[in-house]
Amino acid sequence: MFAYKKKSERSFRLALVLMLGFAFTVNAMGGVPQEQVQRLSADLTPVGAERGANEAGTIPAWTGGITEPPPSYAPGDHHPDPYAGESPLFSINAQNVDQYAEFLGAGQLAMLKRYPDFHFQVYPTHRSVAYPERVYEMSARNAASGSLTEGGNGVADVSEGFPFPFPASAEELMWNHQLRYRGRSNTRHINMMTPTTGGSYNTVTMTVTTSNLYYQEGATIDSIDNLLAKFTREITTPPQLAGNVLLVYESLNQVAQPRKVWIYNPGQRRVMRAPNVAYDSPSGGTDGMHVRDMTDMFNGALDRYDWELVGKKEKYVPYNSYRIHSKDIPNKDLVLAGYLAPDFLRYELHRVWVVEAKLRSGAH
């Protein structure tokens, strides 16, 4: 198990699933017709999700999301939970899993099979996601112009928004995921734990500062010169690791130009260029339990996999997980042997895209 908690200057309420709720419509290379784009202000949300409720009424209509913080909030604070007073609707466990299996992913089913005491607490669904108006405007522009390049390893004629509001392939969905809006810049304070099977762990704390070049106003694919983002990661504890700094230049098309990574080691007092840090190379401080392309659920080049778009389904996914990001839960209460404490987790029913990636012959 690999777990972390983070405190962010911005709130990203997308669930950890591939491209939440985007509408599926076949489009041609180079964008969709203008009458299709107009749906982004009609039956679809400005980024392509289904605006209306589901047939059962268990997923409500999107009405704009959370656009203003509560009056008590100050920048840099932990985000107040707007749904703190809610109780779970029900719990999914090893005993009743068959009743809800169609709404769970393969990993969730495996968790319930391996850990009989684990459970998922399901709460009312809230469609809380909102983006700046410029992201909506640029997503509409991208819908009319965007295309994949080089076998799906890059994108063209898109900027400052979701590249494919009308995704027609698994690769387009993956680019929607990798180019989703996460602010123009952000700073995260992270506690990282790599527990043993018995539940013991050491905590590594770090500060990660990111500049998202793709979302800088006026940026284009040409102007950012294939550089998606820059970020630094500085470890602050434990003492034996404190002062280690990582600098990453994150490429957009990583087949054409792999990401660049530099490491500063305070013991050696020197900066070293790291070798190619991608695919299945282990992430630092995780005892090999986490690899590079697992970051952010999926990260990096698409070229070692054959991608298949399975379709849109309704699933119980982590969503509006304010409680687990709060300052009120000590790590010792959250991180258990094999999983995170279920009572602090929140799952909601949402429409999600299901994408399958199969390793290509000869790749690893």
Side-chain angles (χ1 to χ4, degrees):
M1 185 182 86
F2 175 69
Y4 70 87
K5 293 176 68 179
K6 69 182 180 182
K7 174 186 173 185
S8 173
E9 290 183 352
R10 298 178 184 271
S11 179
F12 313 125
R13 289 180 286 269
L14 282 177
L16 298 181
V17 292
L18 287 182
M19 292 323 303
L20 261 168
F22 282 85
F24 175 54
T25 308
V26 175
N27 71 317
M29 295 295 285
V32 299
Q34 189 60 39
E35 57 267 25
Q36 184 88 316
V37 177
Q38 292 173 358
R39 294 182 61 198
L40 299 177
S41 58
D43 61 305
L44 303 180
T45 74
V47 295
E50 295 181 36
R51 192 180 291 258
N54 68 345
E55 185 176 350
T58 48
I59 299 174
W62 182 78
T63 57
I66 297 175
T67 58
E68 295 289 340
S72 61
Y73 174 76
D77 288 352
H78 289 265
H79 297 115
D81 185 354
Y83 313 117
E86 291 185 344
S87 299
L89 299 173
F90 55 88
S91 180
I92 304 174
N93 53 47
Q95 288 70 49
N96 66 2
V97 62
D98 291 344
Q99 181 180 349
Y100 302 102
E102 66 177 300
F103 301 106
L104 299 174
Q108 293 170 312
L109 294 171
M111 283 288 292
L112 293 174
K113 182 177 180 180
R114 180 165 182 175
Y115 301 108
D117 294 332
F118 185 74
H119 59 273
F120 299 100
Q121 296 200 124
V122 177
Y123 286 78
T125 296
H126 297 281
R127 300 184 65 181
S128 53
V129 173
Y131 298 108
E133 285 297 324
R134 184 167 179 84
V135 173
Y136 295 151
E137 294 169 5
M138 298 305 290
S139 295
R141 181 181 298 181
N142 293 340
S145 63
S147 63
L148 296 172
T149 66
E150 300 178 33
N153 293 314
V155 294
D157 299 319
V158 298
S159 60
E160 296 185 69
F162 288 87
F164 303 109
F166 301 91
S169 67
E171 289 84 356
E172 290 186 352
L173 281 166
M174 294 305 297
W175 279 111
N176 280 347
H177 169 68
Q178 299 206 83
L179 295 179
R180 70 195 187 279
Y181 181 75
R182 286 169 281 185
R184 293 176 181 164
S185 62
N186 61 76
T187 297
R188 294 173 291 159
H189 306 290
I190 296 174
N191 298 331
M192 185 172 69
M193 311 82 153
T194 307
T196 66
T197 54
S200 62
Y201 60 86
N202 293 317
T203 301
V204 177
T205 63
M206 61 187 70
T207 298
V208 179
T209 302
T210 303
S211 176
N212 295 314
L213 304 185
Y214 175 83
Y215 274 98
Q216 302 304 314
E217 187 165 350
T220 66
I221 297 297
D222 290 337
S223 71
I224 63 177
D225 194 23
N226 200 40
L227 189 56
L228 174 61
K230 299 177 182 179
F231 72 86
T232 59
R233 185 197 72 183
E234 181 175 1
I235 296 178
T236 51
T237 63
Q240 62 267 33
L241 296 178
N244 277 273
V245 179
L246 192 72
L247 169 64
V248 178
Y249 279 21
E250 185 77 1
S251 304
L252 193 148
N253 183 334
Q254 295 194 15
V255 175
Q257 181 183 30
R259 66 167 61 91
K260 299 177 182 179
V261 180
W262 294 265
I263 301 171
Y264 172 71
N265 186 311
Q268 298 177 341
R269 295 190 177 182
R270 57 179 295 193
V271 176
M272 297 173 288
R273 175 77 181 269
N276 186 23
V277 179
Y279 303 110
D280 57 352
S281 59
S283 300
T286 67
D287 292 340
M289 299 170 70
H290 184 277
V291 297
R292 294 297 177 179
D293 66 3
M294 292 169 62
T295 301
D296 246 357
M297 188 178 60
F298 184 86
N299 168 271
L302 308 182
D303 63 320
R304 293 192 181 181
Y305 302 93
D306 290 319
W307 298 90
E308 179 186 357
L309 174 56
V310 177
K312 185 183 294 183
K313 298 185 179 181
E314 295 180 2
K315 297 288 184 180
Y316 294 119
V317 294
Y319 215 96
N320 291 308
S321 302
Y322 290 88
R323 192 177 184 194
I324 197 174
H325 287 274
S326 76
K327 61 183 178 182
D328 302 325
I329 307 172
N331 294 337
K332 65 181 179 61
D333 294 338
L334 175 62
V335 182
L336 307 181
Y339 49 81
L340 301 179
D343 289 346
F344 299 130
L345 308 181
R346 180 186 177 110
Y347 290 80
E348 297 180 5
L349 185 68
H350 287 269
R351 304 178 181 106
V352 305
W353 282 111
V354 177
V355 169
E356 289 187 358
K358 296 182 180 178
L359 194 64
R360 289 180 176 172
S361 176
H364 63 84

